[in-house]
Amino acid sequence: FVSMAGLGADRGIRTNGLWGWEDSETGREYAIVGLSNATSFVDVTDPAHPIVLGTMRMTSTARISVWRDMKVYRNHVYIVADGAGQHGIQIFDLTRLRDVKDAPVEFEETSHYGGIFSAHNIVINEDTGFGYSVGSSAGGETCGGGLHMLDLRDPATPVFAGCFSDGETGRRGTGYSHDAQCLTYSGPDADYQGREICIGSNETAISIADVTDKANPVSVAIATYPSVAYAHQGWFTDDQRYFYLNDEIDEANGFVDGTRTLIWDLMDLDDPILAGEYIAETTETDHNLYVKGNLMYQSNTSAGLRIIDITDPEAPFETAFFDTSPVGGRGVSWSNYPYFKSGNIAVTAGHYGLFLLKKREVDI
């Protein structure tokens, strides 16, 4: 565990987004932790003795924000903030973490992209080297809040590559994407093999797009579902057959009896089918979820980290959990990162800090 003070946070600051990086040269693992006004970099190679290397403050023209998110491509992290005014995208060369003296230190960004102001998230397809700012607002090229496409192949110098938004989605009918996953498709639909596909969680629906040609992106399908409150975020299974979606406020609105995850069968990308719903025993709001192998890792606000077995994709069940807020709601779990080769899992916990976990294998 790393406390807020340990992360370098000021009084009243909380955690939010989270991602990870493994240094291919040294094998060391790092957690990149979003704070309301900064980003904290933590060496978690030895999870029992994490080392906070330093923080990077938000852009000088930005304001404190609840939302901060980041993704990594070719040893660089790209950081955005929502509702933050003129923030843009902060770019930081992660190889600078190899030789930090007298930690913790105050880092400066390596470079900056100013083509947007605020954005809710940044999405990256590491296979192609393209990034997608989503939920952009407040200035710059917002693309209606849809996909602001960036060529990242020169990692420190992003180049604007175009927009995509589907105006039949989003609360304002602009194609706003709250979050997305973009990848080179290798799933069961032969029509899209090798194409670059993005699935947007677009408030009112999911939006599937073929963005292979950045100058001419194409809408593939839109799909909605019963009792929509806020289509928030989702992730493909490893075989790209199923897509799990969380609706952020259906629980709070009383639309469902427990924390709900929607299970989309995408055998045919042109015709998404809602194959079922997983309703948990918890009733908390679900937030970010990620899939690795036959497990889904869900951050569920005051219910902490929930690990769901998806061996049978249409019949998930909970197999493990960790409560990040045992004494109240201040430990809200916003996000998690389960992709370290060590098997360690990083989890943010609101005003508490960062938890480092590992799932125990128990013989039943």
Side-chain angles (χ1 to χ4, degrees), residues 105-273:
V105 302
E106 188 80 21
F107 292 109
E108 297 291 332
E109 61 187 31
T110 300
S111 58
H112 188 83
Y113 176 78
I116 62 164
F117 280 18
S118 293
H120 191 76
N121 213 322
I122 180 80
V123 179
I124 295 177
N125 181 355
E126 294 184 55
D127 292 333
T128 62
F130 279 86
Y132 304 85
S133 165
V134 297
S136 300
S137 63
E141 175 53 79
T142 66
C143 297
L147 305 177
H148 177 109
M149 299 185 278
L150 295 168
D151 186 340
L152 305 179
R153 287 173 291 184
D154 181 356
T157 313
V159 176
F160 176 65
C163 287
F164 173 81
S165 62
D166 197 320
E168 294 184 39
T169 64
R171 286 179 164 179
R172 297 182 180 179
T174 63
Y176 174 95
S177 288
H178 190 76
D179 208 330
Q181 185 183 13
C182 299
L183 44 73
T184 303
Y185 185 74
S186 60
D189 190 338
D191 293 341
Y192 293 95
Q193 289 288 323
R195 308 292 292 179
E196 189 164 10
I197 299 296
C198 291
I199 299 188
S201 299
N202 285 19
E203 299 184 311
T204 59
I206 61 169
S207 168
I208 304 175
D210 183 338
V211 297
T212 309
D213 182 352
K214 305 300 182 291
N216 295 287
V218 178
S219 176
V220 173
I222 297 169
T224 188
Y225 53 92
S227 301
V228 174
Y230 198 90
H232 174 265
Q233 183 263 354
W235 212 255
F236 263 116
T237 53
D238 287 355
D239 64 2
Q240 299 179 13
R241 164 74 184 270
Y242 291 90
F243 183 79
Y244 292 98
L245 173 74
N246 53 67
D247 184 307
E248 185 177 16
I249 56 176
D250 51 355
E251 297 86 10
N253 286 355
F255 293 169
V256 291
D257 295 329
T259 307
R260 176 174 66 158
T261 305
L262 299 120
I263 307 168
W264 292 97
D265 184 344
L266 299 184
M267 173 67 77
D268 181 352
L269 292 180
D270 296 288
D271 185 22
I273 294 173

Side-chain angles (χ1 to χ4, degrees), residues 8 58 69-70 98 103 113 131 157 166 222-223 250 270 292 309 331 354-355:
M58 62 185 179
D69 266 295
M70 64 289 296
R98 290 173 181 163
Y113 176 78
T157 313
D166 197 320
I222 297 169
D250 51 355
D270 296 288
K292 181 181 179 182
D309 189 306
L354 174 72
F355 284 99

Side-chain angles (χ1 to χ4, degrees), residues 286-334:
D286 39 353
H287 212 254
N288 288 6
L289 68 83
Y290 300 100
V291 174
K292 181 181 179 182
N294 69 331
L295 297 176
M296 174 170 51
Y297 299 79
Q298 293 186 329
S299 285
N300 286 350
T301 61
S302 295
L305 177 71
R306 300 280 155 167
I307 301 180
I308 312 301
D309 189 306
I310 56 170
T311 303
D312 180 345
E314 296 185 25
F317 63 92
E318 184 176 294
T319 184
F321 74 93
F322 183 87
D323 189 352
T324 56
S325 52
V327 294
R330 289 176 60 81
V332 167
S333 179
W334 182 288

